[in-house]
Amino acid sequence: MLRREGRGTVPVRRFKKPSVEDNVVVKLMERQLAPTARRRLPAVLKQQRFGNFKLLGEFDTHDPDVSDVKLSFLRRRSKVAEIVTAKDIIFALTNQGICAAFNRDTMRRICFMNVQPDEVIRSLFFNKTNRSLITVSVFRADNFSSLRCRSTPLDYIRRGQAASGFPLFESESLSYPGFVEFDDVNSKVLTFSATDSVYKVWDLVNYQHLFTLQDETICEIKISPGIMLVIHNMTKNHSFIPLRILSIETGEVLKSFSHMIHRSKRVEFIEQFNEKLLIKQEAENLQIVDVETSRHIEVPQTQFATPSAFIFLYDSQKFLTFRGQAVDVWDFKGERVSSFSDSQLGVENNTNSIFITSQQDIILSYCGSRGGGVGSIKIAEVLTGKTVAAIAPPEASAGAGPADPMLIDALSEVTALYFNEERNEIVSGTASGKLHVWTC
């Protein structure tokens, strides 16, 4: 499942090892939006802010002549899977595992973040607390079996010194099914060492170890502001799921309880949003449980189909669901607040092609055309689904010249999207490995 982030937006990300047979980047990413208390923009100002984007320029992540890469598949052109911006630097990660850093001011490539010739970068995390980029990688040397993390300060990257970073969590065995999860909301890191079933929580500021959880009955951990939901294996009679809520700062148990389930039906998901639990079993209604009062609401399965991903909106007390190409907004009364009926995602379940602003009031998404081909970038209000603006190719008209080829290329098969709120710029990536910068 996914809780996406505030990318402006993504605070929690979990990275697991790809299958040995597949060298393409595989990731399970969770995004969850931090609470804010900012004022919403009036409609007129939204139109002024988002209504006049123009294509500024283009970057290319592909360089077949790069000398310090020895794996043949890393030399192939590949789609952009993830985009991160940090001040004046734009990072683009391709589906094959190459990460390129570009200088937005000079519009030139700075360097590649792959510092070993057999390194495949799985994902990126910008650590705002110490202004560094964390890369999560696997390597051919150990058959891509273990995750390794490295932190590189932005100042080094600006000078092209990607190799000057330092390794993180070297004491941990992060081979499959081990993982590392970065929590931007609480400034914490969660690691799981599968060899000894040990979970550890670390400080994101200085990477100091805070506390350890070692319990073979733990099957999953969910993180929310200030707390962790620990989900244990079902009881022997398969009638209950034991749950604990812990302090994210100390590991202290704040509450222990069990939730009754149907013995013969698979649990499709358990998600946490502050004091609310969302629990869904196969062919059953969605249950929204208040863990403080034990009250629960049921949403008929005919109204709530199991989504592929969630984004929680802490400021407005709502959540988004993604299923196929559809996006819906729900409240915790179990009611659908809005649907983005005119904004079908260009790629099914691709939450990298959406972005939610830090105020949680605007969503940017790439929407494919009904007949395929060139799509558009839609900018809409989160709570109403109303389109504020769109970046689309110009309508053909009599006597008009041919459309700008770069513009057509920029809006064809967009696979990743990022909105730099400081600069009020959009960065999009395509299936061809190109990056495009849009500015007002």
Side-chain angles (χ1 to χ4, degrees):
M1 305 305 288
L2 168 156
R3 288 177 290 187
R4 191 163 160 122
E5 57 197 343
R7 229 181 312 246
T9 89
V10 182
V12 178
R13 302 164 184 257
R14 175 171 295 179
F15 310 114
K16 296 185 179 179
K17 163 190 163 299
S19 69
V20 173
E21 294 77 21
D22 188 0
N23 290 330
V24 176
V25 174
V26 178
K27 72 177 176 227
L28 176 64
M29 181 172 60
E30 298 199 350
R31 173 184 291 181
Q32 167 175 325
L33 303 184
T36 58
R38 300 185 178 94
R39 220 170 26 174
R40 302 292 192 267
L41 288 174
V44 174
L45 293 182
K46 289 178 182 177
Q47 182 62 36
Q48 292 175 353
R49 184 182 183 188
F50 299 107
N52 195 34
F53 278 104
K54 304 295 183 184
L55 181 58
L56 175 67
E58 178 183 83
F59 298 111
D60 195 348
T61 62
H62 180 59
D63 184 353
D65 298 322
V66 60
S67 60
D68 53 354
V69 170
K70 71 179 182 181
L71 299 180
S72 60
F73 66 84
L74 291 180
R75 295 179 179 271
R76 301 172 193 156
R77 183 172 289 280
S78 176
K79 73 179 183 180
V80 177
E82 186 174 358
I83 300 170
V84 172
T85 70
K87 300 298 181 182
D88 56 329
I89 305 177
I90 299 173
F91 298 97
L93 177 64
T94 72
N95 204 49
Q96 296 283 25
I98 283 285
C99 178
F102 301 93
N103 187 304
R104 162 62 186 84
D105 294 331
T106 64
M107 297 296 290
R108 295 178 179 274
R109 189 180 71 213
I110 303 171
C111 62
F112 288 101
M113 297 304 298
N114 304 63
V115 299
Q116 298 294 330
D118 65 340
E119 179 179 7
V120 176
I121 296 178
R122 298 273 323 282
S123 199
L124 313 173
F125 180 82
F126 175 49
N127 188 349
K128 295 187 291 291
T129 66
N130 57 26
R131 298 170 59 83
S132 65
L133 182 80
I134 298 175
T135 53
V136 181
S137 305
V138 291
F139 294 82
R140 176 67 177 272
D142 65 353
N143 203 24
F144 309 106
S145 63
S146 300
L147 298 175
R148 300 185 201 173
C149 303
R150 186 176 68 251
S151 175
T152 311
L154 293 187
D155 288 342
Y156 291 161
I157 297 172
R158 287 190 183 95
R159 296 195 292 266
Q161 299 173 348
S164 297
F166 56 89
L168 301 175
F169 318 121
E170 291 184 287
S171 62
E172 306 310 296
S173 175
L174 300 179
S175 57
Y176 183 81
F179 64 79
V180 57
E181 182 172 319
F182 299 97
D183 174 14
D184 205 16
V185 175
N186 298 294
S187 294
K188 300 292 185 291
V189 184
L190 175 68
T191 60
F192 174 58
S193 175
T195 56
D196 48 9
S197 299
V198 170
Y199 294 84
K200 291 184 180 180
V201 175
W202 312 73
D203 192 319
L204 187 56
V205 177
N206 54 21
Y207 308 113
Q208 179 181 353
H209 174 236
L210 299 177
F211 60 89
T212 297
L213 300 174
Q214 187 166 16
D215 187 337
E216 293 184 355
T217 69
I218 295 175
C219 65
E220 193 168 4
I221 293 179
K222 304 281 187 177
I223 299 177
S224 286
I227 56 176
M228 302 166 60
L229 174 69
V230 180
I231 305 169
H232 293 265
N233 295 324
M234 288 184 289
T235 55
K236 290 183 179 181
N237 60 9
H238 298 283
S239 298
F240 293 91
I241 294 181
L243 304 163
R244 291 187 297 159
I245 296 178
L246 277 59
S247 165
I248 192 70
E249 299 295 335
T250 64
E252 176 189 1
V253 178
L254 304 177
K255 186 179 180 69
S256 296
F257 58 104
S258 294
H259 182 78
M260 182 180 292
I261 60 172
H262 294 274
R263 295 178 57 181
S264 59
K265 298 191 175 180
R266 179 173 59 90
V267 176
E268 294 184 329
F269 65 80
I270 299 177
E271 293 289 334
Q272 181 186 20
F273 176 95
N274 293 339
E275 74 281 4
K276 306 292 187 183
L277 287 184
L278 278 63
I279 302 175
K280 177 78 168 63
Q281 288 187 258
E282 186 178 16
E284 291 293 329
N285 296 338
L286 168 68
Q287 296 185 52
I288 303 175
V289 181
D290 189 313
V291 299
E292 293 183 350
T293 65
S294 298
R295 293 181 56 189
H296 77 277
I297 296 170
E298 290 202 8
V299 184
Q301 59 172 319
T302 54
Q303 298 177 22
F304 187 94
T306 300
S308 60
F310 293 88
I311 296 178
F312 291 124
L313 308 173
Y314 286 97
D315 197 26
S316 58
Q317 298 290 299
K318 305 289 190 300
F319 63 96
L320 275 70
T321 58
F322 300 84
R323 181 179 171 86
Q325 293 176 282
V327 184
D328 295 305
V329 183
W330 300 79
D331 63 23
F332 286 90
K333 297 177 184 177
E335 298 173 352
R336 183 187 282 109
V337 176
S338 65
S339 296
F340 295 85
S341 56
D342 65 338
S343 300
Q344 297 292 302
L345 295 180
V347 181
E348 287 192 14
N349 302 324
N350 180 21
T351 50
N352 275 340
S353 63
I354 69 160
F355 186 103
I356 297 177
T357 60
S358 60
Q359 293 183 357
Q360 305 173 11
D361 57 343
I362 294 292
I363 180 171
L364 295 85
S365 61
Y366 175 70
C367 305
S369 62
R370 295 187 182 278
V374 182
S376 61
I377 297 173
K378 293 284 184 69
I379 303 164
E381 295 178 342
V382 169
L383 296 183
T384 66
K386 179 182 177 181
T387 298
V388 174
I391 301 174
E395 300 243 346
S397 59
D404 181 356
M406 185 184 293
L407 179 64
I408 298 301
D409 184 50
L411 292 173
S412 300
E413 295 187 83
V414 171
T415 54
L417 198 62
Y418 196 103
F419 179 50
N420 186 325
E421 298 187 64
E422 291 183 9
R423 291 177 176 258
N424 203 52
E425 292 180 344
I426 296 172
V427 184
S428 57
T430 67
S432 64
K434 301 284 186 66
L435 279 184
H436 298 90
V437 179
W438 309 81
T439 187
C440 287

